[in-house]
Amino acid sequence: MAKIVMIGAGSTVFARNLIGDILSFPELADSTIALVDIDAARLRTSEIVAHRVAEALGAHPVIEATTDRRQALPGADYVINMIQVGGYPAALVDFEIPKKYGLRQTIGDTLGIGGIMRALRTIPVLLEIGRDMEELCPDALFLNYVNPMAINTWAFTEATRIRAVGLCHSVQHTLEDLAGDLGVPVEEIDFLAAGINHMCFYLRLKRKGEDLYPALRRLAAEGRVREDDRVRYEMLRRTGYFVTESSEHFAEYVPYFIRGQNPELIERYNIPLDEYPRRCEAQIADWERLRRELEAGQGVLEVRRSVEYASLIIHSLETGQPR
């Protein structure tokens, strides 16, 4: 029976998705799921969600919840990290201070000044987790979902002896976007993606042996692209390949689109400046609604498999099934 620790489990919706993915496998349905968060209120909501997910799936896991990760880590086989150090207030600082000096951002969690600021406050916490793991569960696999992805995972693997992998969902979600753009079922697309996590490119896109890139290039050449995806299609036109990171992310990964001396580019490529704080506000409102419904015993909790890789990795390691 696997023991899976989720640090930052107060990210209730994301935790719900991962728990649902894990418990949907019969071989993992009796796992121990240890939820950890420093916010007791959010942790309580996530614990309710975990029990509801297990009930919906007919699974019988052992569900634990604690605000002290050292209580949860002993005996862990897998540690899933999904914390946000400083939360929404710190994210606002990442935007507001650079803005005073003319540096504009969209998401600010991976590269540029926002990514650096986030890394500087996150890496020390990650290394504390790593040291606890070295002491309490040295053979566990660390699955990191925390941004800035490449910086954090690099720091963790350099500074600790713990096995680690950095995970994101941009490859999976972008494939769904492209399937919609091309009007083909996503499950019929055969792809090969490569690159640094948070900036991969599709080297191959095929459907039943047919190369899909000519059709994508026609969309780009004719300007028949979604309003919120102009950046990626411009990069396709320039490089010949489609990048997996969303247009709002990618716009700040390269120095071509958000330029103080060329403000017209913001409108031309429909770049949503200050997008991340708006998303945070929406997520906070959604969590409050979910909390009220759960604590009142209301609402239907929908459980369906997500596209996240974490459960697939855990299942393969537990069963030996190749993927």
Side-chain angles (χ1 to χ4, degrees), residues 127 150-166:
L127 299 190
I151 298 173
N152 285 342
T153 308
W154 182 12
F156 189 88
T157 55
E158 285 286 331
T160 78
R161 299 188 301 274
I162 300 297
R163 295 177 302 148
V165 60

Side-chain angles (χ1 to χ4, degrees), residues 1 13 30 39 48 51-53 97 104 117 163 174 191 196 198 207-208 211 220 239 251 269 274 287-288 302-303 311:
M1 181 176 70
V13 174
D30 62 349
D39 186 322
I48 295 171
H51 284 287
R52 292 276 297 274
V53 168
I97 291 179
R104 303 303 303 274
M117 292 168 72
R163 295 177 302 148
T174 297
F191 72 93
I196 297 171
H198 266 208
R207 181 193 182 209
K208 299 179 180 178
D211 186 3
T239 69
Y269 292 103
D274 300 326
W287 180 83
E288 288 290 350
E302 184 179 9
V303 180
S311 68

Side-chain angles (χ1 to χ4, degrees), residues 11-38:
S11 301
T12 303
V13 174
F14 194 60
R16 177 197 65 189
N17 293 342
L18 294 184
I19 293 168
D21 291 348
I22 291 165
L23 298 183
S24 68
F25 288 111
E27 298 89 344
L28 301 177
D30 62 349
S31 298
T32 295
I33 307 290
L35 308 175
V36 180
D37 203 281
I38 60 174

Side-chain angles (χ1 to χ4, degrees), residues 294-311:
L294 289 171
E295 292 184 355
Q298 300 171 344
V300 176
L301 188 67
E302 184 179 9
V303 180
R304 59 181 178 181
R305 171 161 286 282
S306 78
V307 297
E308 302 297 340
Y309 287 140
S311 68

